[in-house]
Amino acid sequence: VQLQASGGGLVQAGGSLRLSCVASETIFSINAMGWYRQAPGKQRELVAAITSGGSTNYADSVKGRFTISRDNAKNTVYLQMNSLKPEDTAVYYCNVVGYSDPWNALDAWGQGTQVTVSS
């Protein structure tokens, strides 16, 4: 299974972007889908995640500004980012944890998409 992330770009502070991540094939079972980010010189951190049951979890720094959602029929997870701040600048990665088939666990990462927020 390959993940293709898109939607990054350059935006002014206060602006919005919507990231998308689509899987190359139907995934047998998904435990959770998430978005992580890594800024230069910093460790990769969880931004938001959504479980198979629809429960969501957000980093404190993005609560109230970012929304994660998923479209199971399209094998896609989204991250709507509003009120962007310069400190949101990072490479954003999508992640899927589950099973690609009944016998093989899956922990897949997308290639990353750059988000740059100018002040």
Side-chain angles (χ1 to χ4, degrees):
V1 176
Q2 294 184 340
L3 302 180
Q4 181 69 42
S6 62
L10 173 63
V11 64
Q12 290 187 332
S16 298
L17 285 174
R18 188 192 194 205
L19 306 184
S20 300
C21 177
V22 59
S24 59
E25 59 190 84
T26 299
I27 299 173
F28 172 74
S29 175
I30 296 175
N31 294 337
M33 307 176 80
W35 287 94
Y36 291 72
R37 68 186 180 187
Q38 188 166 19
K42 294 186 177 181
Q43 290 187 334
R44 189 174 297 188
E45 63 174 355
L46 175 67
V47 176
I50 184 167
T51 68
S52 58
S55 298
T56 56
N57 182 42
Y58 295 93
D60 288 342
S61 59
V62 307
K63 284 181 180 177
R65 301 188 297 122
F66 290 11
T67 302
I68 189 170
S69 61
R70 57 190 287 183
D71 185 331
N72 293 333
K74 296 182 178 180
N75 299 318
T76 303
V77 61
Y78 304 97
L79 185 67
Q80 178 66 44
M81 305 185 294
N82 298 328
S83 302
L84 283 161
K85 304 176 180 180
E87 50 264 43
D88 294 319
T89 296
V91 178
Y92 284 70
Y93 300 88
C94 57
N95 171 253
V96 174
V97 175
Y99 285 85
S100 56
D101 57 52
W103 308 278
N104 293 291
L106 174 70
D107 185 358
W109 290 88
Q111 85 286 6
T113 183
Q114 176 71 46
V115 171
T116 303
V117 184
S118 63
S119 58

